[in-house]
Amino acid sequence: MTDRAPGFLKPGPLKHDAPEPLEGPVTATVTGGTILWFVLFLVQLPFYGWFDEHGHLWWVWTCLAGAGLGLIGIWYVRKRDAAIKRDAAAGGGTSTEGTPGEGASGGGSGPAG
């Protein structure tokens, strides 16, 4: 490496710890985004021919893919929330020593779920 390399490329210890992850209404956010993608798909369907003629048909299918991936996301965040609640009820504590599924509750036997 050269002496002109930016600071993040230089080897050495980190200068500070990473910030705590932001928590919020994750399930509601993912559900809202999924609904938005599906509504956009439905709104574009009447214009399918126009999109096809102008080479923008991928817009329609991108919205459908977003809705489909959003369904997977809803499933994932609901399981994550259930695992967090299960861990808190089991006496795993409410501190943010780690993220659920990374052994923050003690045993370290694998991902929660």
Side-chain angles (χ1 to χ4, degrees), residues 30-31 33-42 60-74:
V30 173
T31 302
T34 302
I35 291 169
L36 180 63
W37 278 114
F38 190 68
V39 167
L40 288 171
F41 170 73
L42 292 177
V60 177
W61 302 119
T62 298
C63 292
L64 186 60
L69 290 172
L71 291 175
I72 295 169
I74 291 170

Side-chain angles (χ1 to χ4, degrees), residues 36-107:
L36 180 63
W37 278 114
F38 190 68
V39 167
L40 288 171
F41 170 73
L42 292 177
V43 166
Q44 291 179 357
L45 277 182
F47 305 102
Y48 187 89
W50 185 90
F51 285 114
D52 192 23
E53 291 172 7
H54 292 87
H56 297 301
L57 198 54
W58 63 273
W59 289 8
V60 177
W61 302 119
T62 298
C63 292
L64 186 60
L69 290 172
L71 291 175
I72 295 169
I74 291 170
W75 171 80
Y76 180 83
V77 297
R78 290 189 68 191
K79 285 195 64 96
R80 176 184 177 268
D81 285 347
I84 291 171
K85 289 177 184 172
R86 205 171 36 246
D87 183 53
T94 57
S95 67
T96 55
E97 296 169 358
T99 57
E102 292 181 352
S105 62

Side-chain angles (χ1 to χ4, degrees), residues 14-20:
L14 294 175
K15 295 181 182 179
H16 54 82
D17 292 335
E20 293 294 323

